[in-house]
Amino acid sequence: MGYWVLFCVWCGCANGEKGAQEEDSLRLRDLGLEFVWIESGVFRMGTSPAQEEYLRGQQMWDDLSKTEQPVREVVIEEGFYLGKYEITQAQWAAVTGTWPWLQQEHVVVEPDRPAVFVSWRDAQQFIQHLNIWAGEERFRLPTETEWEYACRAGSDGLWSFGDDKGRLREYAWYKDNTWDAGKKYAQAVGGKKANAWGLHDMYGNVWEWCEDWAALWDGGGYKPALRGGSFFNEAANVRSALRIRNDAKFKFSDIGLRVVRIK
């Protein structure tokens, strides 16, 4: 209980505007958010025809995968800071004062596990609180292009480490080493290898909300994107280019977030 009190209760000193600003700065610092600087650059977003052929041969391609094509060159014009880890339960509770994952299936309640059962709208409220504390629009969700660029970490492969599916367990919590191993829940953040740019859990553990919305492949309207796959998913759905969309109010035990810091 003491650990949670440390993160979730603050002293209420209200000594004018300066005091409030200092308190907000302390709140942000005490959250323990860590970021990795991602340089601007150019990358190829999506899955190539050759990769599609390979995935079909591995029975890792379906109708949803069509949204990964065509491959296009994308320019990331400005660098940004991306969360080194997914937002944890401790961080979420400290910011919002809520625990949406309590008494839900497939969840272990521990401070360093990812915050889950959070919708896209919930994620926006979390970020709104961070920006109020910062006194400016400093935080947001990553765009899809930012997310995939950072996930790839300079690689054109199916994964940041190449095309060898056998190495995925070194970098990701996914169905093979969680659900099928009796661990039917998200794991503590940072437990697997980071990609070449120092980011952990870009594959697996929990799906991560992105900022932008786009049309569904079947013409079913516009919805926000989720990236990265989760502990529920097989390797086919835990890849750099894989994209899914869901309702902005949807929440589940394998959906969380990481955030961008603009400055």
Side-chain angles (χ1 to χ4, degrees), residues 47-99:
T47 298
S48 70
Q51 288 173 327
E52 176 190 347
E53 183 177 356
Y54 172 79
L55 290 169
R56 285 186 182 279
Q58 298 292 313
Q59 297 184 328
M60 295 172 64
W61 186 268
D62 57 26
D63 283 343
L64 287 177
S65 303
K66 295 176 183 177
T67 63
E68 302 168 27
Q69 296 175 325
V71 172
R72 56 199 182 279
E73 186 173 273
V74 177
V75 178
I76 303 295
E77 296 183 349
E78 296 185 8
F80 57 95
Y81 288 95
L82 183 61
K84 184 175 183 178
Y85 308 107
E86 294 156 337
I87 294 297
T88 65
Q89 294 177 17
Q91 291 164 341
W92 181 276
V95 172
T96 68
T98 66
W99 296 263

Coordinates of all heavy atoms in Angstrom, one line a residue, residues 47-99:
T47 N 4.2 -2.9 -45.5 CA 4.7 -4.2 -45.8 C 4.8 -4.3 -47.3 O 3.9 -4.1 -48.1 CB 3.7 -5.3 -45.3 OG1 3.7 -5.2 -43.8 CG2 4.2 -6.7 -45.6
S48 N 6.0 -4.7 -47.8 CA 6.3 -4.8 -49.2 C 5.6 -6.1 -49.8 O 5.3 -7.0 -49.1 CB 7.8 -4.9 -49.5 OG 8.3 -6.1 -49.0
P49 N 5.5 -6.2 -51.1 CA 4.9 -7.4 -51.8 C 5.8 -8.6 -51.5 O 5.2 -9.7 -51.3 CB 5.0 -7.0 -53.3 CG 4.8 -5.5 -53.3 CD 5.6 -5.0 -52.1
A50 N 7.1 -8.5 -51.4 CA 7.9 -9.6 -51.1 C 7.7 -10.1 -49.7 O 7.6 -11.3 -49.4 CB 9.4 -9.2 -51.3
Q51 N 7.5 -9.1 -48.7 CA 7.2 -9.5 -47.4 C 5.8 -10.2 -47.3 O 5.6 -11.1 -46.5 CB 7.3 -8.3 -46.5 CG 8.7 -7.8 -46.2 CD 8.8 -6.5 -45.5 OE1 7.9 -5.6 -45.6 NE2 9.8 -6.3 -44.7
E52 N 4.9 -9.6 -48.0 CA 3.5 -10.3 -48.1 C 3.6 -11.7 -48.5 O 3.0 -12.6 -47.9 CB 2.6 -9.5 -49.0 CG 1.2 -10.2 -49.1 CD 0.4 -9.6 -50.2 OE1 0.7 -8.5 -50.8 OE2 -0.6 -10.2 -50.6
E53 N 4.4 -12.0 -49.5 CA 4.5 -13.3 -50.0 C 5.1 -14.2 -49.0 O 4.7 -15.4 -48.8 CB 5.4 -13.3 -51.3 CG 5.6 -14.7 -51.9 CD 6.4 -14.7 -53.2 OE1 6.8 -13.5 -53.6 OE2 6.7 -15.7 -53.8
Y54 N 6.1 -13.7 -48.3 CA 6.8 -14.5 -47.2 C 5.7 -14.8 -46.1 O 5.6 -15.9 -45.6 CB 8.0 -13.8 -46.6 CG 8.5 -14.4 -45.4 CD1 9.4 -15.5 -45.5 CD2 8.2 -13.9 -44.1 CE1 9.9 -16.1 -44.3 CE2 8.7 -14.5 -43.0 CZ 9.6 -15.6 -43.1 OH 10.1 -16.1 -41.9
L55 N 5.0 -13.8 -45.7 CA 4.0 -13.9 -44.6 C 2.9 -14.9 -45.0 O 2.4 -15.7 -44.2 CB 3.4 -12.6 -44.2 CG 4.4 -11.6 -43.5 CD1 3.8 -10.2 -43.5 CD2 4.7 -12.1 -42.1
R56 N 2.5 -14.8 -46.3 CA 1.5 -15.8 -46.7 C 2.0 -17.2 -46.6 O 1.3 -18.1 -46.2 CB 1.1 -15.5 -48.2 CG 0.2 -14.3 -48.3 CD -0.3 -14.1 -49.8 NE -1.1 -12.9 -49.9 CZ -2.4 -12.9 -49.6 NH1 -3.0 -13.9 -49.1 NH2 -3.1 -11.8 -49.8
G57 N 3.3 -17.4 -47.0 CA 3.9 -18.7 -46.9 C 4.0 -19.2 -45.4 O 3.9 -20.4 -45.2
Q58 N 4.0 -18.3 -44.5 CA 4.1 -18.6 -43.1 C 2.7 -18.6 -42.4 O 2.6 -18.8 -41.2 CB 5.0 -17.6 -42.3 CG 6.4 -17.6 -42.8 CD 7.2 -18.9 -42.4 OE1 7.1 -19.3 -41.3 NE2 7.9 -19.5 -43.4
Q59 N 1.7 -18.4 -43.2 CA 0.3 -18.3 -42.7 C 0.2 -17.2 -41.7 O -0.5 -17.4 -40.7 CB -0.2 -19.7 -42.2 CG -0.2 -20.8 -43.2 CD -0.8 -22.1 -42.7 OE1 -0.6 -22.4 -41.5 NE2 -1.5 -22.8 -43.5
M60 N 0.8 -16.1 -42.0 CA 0.8 -14.9 -41.1 C 0.2 -13.7 -41.8 O 0.5 -12.6 -41.5 CB 2.2 -14.6 -40.7 CG 2.8 -15.7 -39.8 SD 4.6 -15.4 -39.5 CE 4.6 -13.9 -38.5
W61 N -0.7 -13.9 -42.8 CA -1.3 -12.8 -43.6 C -2.8 -13.0 -43.7 O -3.2 -14.1 -43.9 CB -0.6 -12.7 -44.9 CG -1.1 -11.6 -45.8 CD1 -2.1 -11.5 -46.7 CD2 -0.5 -10.3 -45.8 NE1 -2.2 -10.3 -47.2 CE2 -1.2 -9.5 -46.7 CE3 0.6 -9.7 -45.1 CZ2 -0.9 -8.1 -47.0 CZ3 0.9 -8.4 -45.4 CH2 0.2 -7.6 -46.3
D62 N -3.6 -12.0 -43.4 CA -5.0 -12.1 -43.6 C -5.6 -10.8 -44.1 O -4.8 -9.9 -44.5 CB -5.7 -12.5 -42.2 CG -5.4 -11.5 -41.1 OD1 -5.1 -10.3 -41.4 OD2 -5.4 -11.8 -40.0
D63 N -6.9 -10.7 -44.2 CA -7.5 -9.5 -44.8 C -7.1 -8.2 -44.1 O -7.0 -7.2 -44.7 CB -9.0 -9.6 -44.8 CG -9.5 -10.6 -45.9 OD1 -8.7 -10.9 -46.8 OD2 -10.6 -11.1 -45.8
L64 N -7.0 -8.2 -42.8 CA -6.6 -7.0 -42.0 C -5.2 -6.5 -42.5 O -5.0 -5.3 -42.4 CB -6.5 -7.3 -40.5 CG -7.9 -7.5 -39.8 CD1 -7.7 -7.9 -38.3 CD2 -8.7 -6.2 -39.9
S65 N -4.4 -7.4 -42.9 CA -3.0 -7.0 -43.3 C -3.0 -6.1 -44.5 O -2.0 -5.5 -44.8 CB -2.1 -8.3 -43.5 OG -2.1 -9.1 -42.4
K66 N -4.1 -6.1 -45.3 CA -4.2 -5.3 -46.5 C -3.9 -3.8 -46.2 O -3.5 -3.0 -47.0 CB -5.5 -5.4 -47.2 CG -5.8 -6.8 -47.7 CD -7.2 -6.9 -48.3 CE -7.5 -8.3 -48.8 NZ -8.9 -8.5 -49.3
T67 N -4.2 -3.4 -44.9 CA -4.1 -2.0 -44.6 C -2.6 -1.6 -44.5 O -2.3 -0.4 -44.3 CB -4.8 -1.7 -43.2 OG1 -4.1 -2.4 -42.2 CG2 -6.2 -2.0 -43.3
E68 N -1.7 -2.5 -44.5 CA -0.3 -2.3 -44.5 C 0.3 -1.9 -45.8 O 1.5 -1.6 -45.9 CB 0.5 -3.5 -43.9 CG 0.0 -3.9 -42.6 CD 0.5 -5.3 -42.2 OE1 1.6 -5.7 -42.7 OE2 -0.1 -6.0 -41.4
Q69 N -0.5 -1.9 -46.8 CA 0.0 -1.6 -48.2 C -0.8 -0.4 -48.8 O -2.0 -0.2 -48.4 CB -0.2 -2.8 -49.1 CG 0.7 -4.0 -48.6 CD 0.5 -5.2 -49.3 OE1 -0.6 -5.6 -49.8 NE2 1.6 -6.0 -49.5
P70 N -0.3 0.3 -49.8 CA 1.1 0.1 -50.3 C 2.2 0.6 -49.4 O 1.9 1.5 -48.6 CB 1.0 0.8 -51.7 CG 0.1 1.9 -51.4 CD -1.0 1.4 -50.5
V71 N 3.4 0.2 -49.6 CA 4.5 0.8 -48.9 C 4.7 2.2 -49.4 O 4.6 2.5 -50.6 CB 5.8 -0.1 -49.1 CG1 7.0 0.7 -48.6 CG2 5.7 -1.4 -48.5
R72 N 5.0 3.1 -48.5 CA 5.2 4.5 -48.9 C 6.4 5.1 -48.1 O 6.6 4.7 -46.9 CB 3.9 5.3 -48.7 CG 3.4 5.3 -47.3 CD 1.9 5.7 -47.3 NE 1.3 5.8 -46.0 CZ 0.9 4.7 -45.3 NH1 1.0 3.5 -45.9 NH2 0.3 4.8 -44.1
E73 N 7.1 6.0 -48.7 CA 8.1 6.7 -48.0 C 7.6 7.8 -47.2 O 6.8 8.6 -47.7 CB 9.1 7.2 -49.0 CG 10.4 7.8 -48.4 CD 11.4 8.2 -49.4 OE1 12.2 7.4 -49.8 OE2 11.4 9.4 -49.9
V74 N 8.0 7.9 -45.9 CA 7.5 8.9 -45.0 C 8.6 9.7 -44.4 O 9.7 9.1 -44.0 CB 6.7 8.2 -43.8 CG1 6.2 9.3 -42.8 CG2 5.5 7.4 -44.4
V75 N 8.5 11.0 -44.4 CA 9.5 11.8 -43.8 C 9.0 12.3 -42.4 O 7.9 12.8 -42.3 CB 9.7 13.1 -44.7 CG1 10.7 14.0 -44.1 CG2 10.1 12.7 -46.1
I76 N 9.8 12.0 -41.4 CA 9.6 12.5 -40.1 C 10.4 13.8 -40.0 O 11.6 13.8 -39.8 CB 10.1 11.5 -39.0 CG1 9.3 10.1 -39.2 CG2 9.8 12.0 -37.6 CD1 7.8 10.2 -39.0
E77 N 9.7 14.9 -40.1 CA 10.4 16.2 -40.2 C 11.0 16.7 -38.9 O 12.0 17.4 -39.0 CB 9.5 17.2 -40.8 CG 9.0 16.9 -42.2 CD 8.1 18.0 -42.8 OE1 7.7 18.9 -42.1 OE2 7.9 17.9 -44.0
E78 N 10.4 16.4 -37.8 CA 10.9 16.9 -36.5 C 11.1 15.7 -35.6 O 10.3 14.8 -35.5 CB 9.9 17.9 -35.9 CG 9.7 19.1 -36.7 CD 8.8 20.1 -36.0 OE1 8.5 19.9 -34.8 OE2 8.5 21.1 -36.6
G79 N 12.2 15.7 -34.9 CA 12.5 14.7 -33.9 C 11.5 14.9 -32.7 O 10.9 15.9 -32.5
F80 N 11.4 13.8 -31.9 CA 10.5 13.9 -30.7 C 11.0 12.9 -29.7 O 11.8 12.0 -29.9 CB 9.1 13.5 -31.2 CG 9.0 12.1 -31.8 CD1 8.7 11.0 -31.1 CD2 9.3 12.0 -33.2 CE1 8.6 9.7 -31.8 CE2 9.2 10.7 -33.8 CZ 8.9 9.6 -33.1
Y81 N 10.5 13.1 -28.5 CA 10.8 12.2 -27.4 C 9.7 11.2 -27.3 O 8.5 11.6 -27.2 CB 11.0 12.9 -26.1 CG 12.2 13.7 -25.9 CD1 12.2 15.1 -26.2 CD2 13.4 13.2 -25.5 CE1 13.3 15.9 -26.1 CE2 14.6 13.9 -25.3 CZ 14.5 15.3 -25.7 OH 15.7 16.0 -25.5
L82 N 10.0 9.9 -27.2 CA 8.9 8.8 -27.1 C 9.2 8.1 -25.8 O 10.4 7.8 -25.4 CB 9.0 7.9 -28.3 CG 7.9 6.8 -28.3 CD1 6.5 7.4 -28.3 CD2 8.1 5.8 -29.4
G83 N 8.1 7.8 -25.1 CA 8.3 7.0 -23.9 C 9.1 5.8 -24.0 O 8.9 5.0 -24.9
K84 N 10.1 5.6 -23.1 CA 10.9 4.4 -23.2 C 10.1 3.1 -22.9 O 10.4 2.1 -23.4 CB 12.0 4.6 -22.1 CG 13.1 3.5 -22.1 CD 14.2 3.8 -21.2 CE 15.3 2.7 -21.2 NZ 16.4 3.1 -20.3
Y85 N 9.1 3.3 -22.1 CA 8.2 2.2 -21.6 C 6.7 2.6 -21.8 O 6.4 3.8 -22.0 CB 8.4 1.9 -20.2 CG 9.8 1.7 -19.7 CD1 10.5 2.6 -19.0 CD2 10.5 0.5 -20.1 CE1 11.8 2.4 -18.6 CE2 11.8 0.3 -19.7 CZ 12.5 1.3 -19.0 OH 13.8 1.1 -18.6
E86 N 5.9 1.6 -21.8 CA 4.4 1.8 -21.8 C 4.1 2.5 -20.4 O 4.8 2.3 -19.4 CB 3.7 0.5 -21.9 CG 3.9 -0.1 -23.3 CD 3.7 -1.6 -23.4 OE1 3.8 -2.3 -22.3 OE2 3.4 -2.1 -24.5
I87 N 3.0 3.3 -20.4 CA 2.6 3.9 -19.1 C 2.2 2.8 -18.2 O 1.4 1.9 -18.5 CB 1.4 4.9 -19.4 CG1 1.9 6.1 -20.3 CG2 0.8 5.4 -18.1 CD1 2.9 6.9 -19.6
T88 N 2.7 2.9 -16.9 CA 2.4 1.9 -15.9 C 1.2 2.2 -15.1 O 0.6 3.3 -15.1 CB 3.6 1.8 -15.0 OG1 3.7 3.0 -14.2 CG2 4.9 1.5 -15.7
Q89 N 0.7 1.2 -14.4 CA -0.4 1.4 -13.5 C -0.1 2.4 -12.5 O -1.0 3.3 -12.1 CB -0.7 0.0 -12.8 CG -1.2 -1.0 -13.7 CD -1.5 -2.4 -13.0 OE1 -1.6 -2.4 -11.8 NE2 -1.6 -3.4 -13.8
A90 N 1.1 2.5 -11.9 CA 1.4 3.5 -10.9 C 1.3 4.9 -11.5 O 0.8 5.8 -10.9 CB 2.8 3.2 -10.4
Q91 N 1.8 5.1 -12.7 CA 1.8 6.4 -13.4 C 0.4 6.8 -13.7 O 0.0 7.9 -13.5 CB 2.7 6.4 -14.6 CG 4.2 6.2 -14.3 CD 5.0 5.8 -15.5 OE1 4.5 5.3 -16.5 NE2 6.3 6.1 -15.4
W92 N -0.4 5.9 -14.2 CA -1.8 6.2 -14.5 C -2.6 6.6 -13.3 O -3.3 7.6 -13.3 CB -2.5 5.0 -15.2 CG -3.9 5.3 -15.6 CD1 -5.0 5.2 -14.8 CD2 -4.3 5.7 -16.9 NE1 -6.1 5.5 -15.5 CE2 -5.7 5.9 -16.8 CE3 -3.7 6.0 -18.1 CZ2 -6.5 6.3 -17.9 CZ3 -4.5 6.4 -19.1 CH2 -5.9 6.5 -19.0
A93 N -2.5 5.8 -12.2 CA -3.2 6.1 -11.0 C -2.7 7.4 -10.4 O -3.6 8.2 -9.8 CB -3.0 5.0 -10.0
A94 N -1.4 7.7 -10.5 CA -0.9 9.0 -9.9 C -1.5 10.2 -10.6 O -1.8 11.2 -10.0 CB 0.6 9.0 -10.0
V95 N -1.7 10.1 -11.9 CA -2.2 11.2 -12.7 C -3.7 11.3 -12.7 O -4.2 12.4 -12.5 CB -1.7 11.0 -14.2 CG1 -2.4 12.1 -15.1 CG2 -0.2 11.1 -14.3
T96 N -4.4 10.2 -12.8 CA -5.9 10.3 -12.9 C -6.6 10.0 -11.6 O -7.8 10.3 -11.5 CB -6.4 9.3 -14.0 OG1 -6.2 7.9 -13.5 CG2 -5.7 9.5 -15.3
G97 N -6.0 9.3 -10.7 CA -6.7 8.9 -9.4 C -7.6 7.7 -9.7 O -8.5 7.5 -8.9
T98 N -7.5 7.0 -10.8 CA -8.4 5.9 -11.1 C -7.6 4.6 -11.4 O -6.4 4.7 -11.7 CB -9.2 6.2 -12.4 OG1 -8.3 6.3 -13.6 CG2 -10.0 7.5 -12.3
W99 N -8.3 3.5 -11.2 CA -7.7 2.2 -11.4 C -8.7 1.4 -12.3 O -9.3 0.4 -11.8 CB -7.5 1.5 -10.1 CG -6.5 2.2 -9.2 CD1 -5.1 1.8 -9.0 CD2 -6.7 3.3 -8.3 NE1 -4.6 2.7 -8.1 CE2 -5.5 3.6 -7.7 CE3 -7.8 4.0 -8.0 CZ2 -5.4 4.6 -6.7 CZ3 -7.7 5.1 -7.1 CH2 -6.5 5.3 -6.5

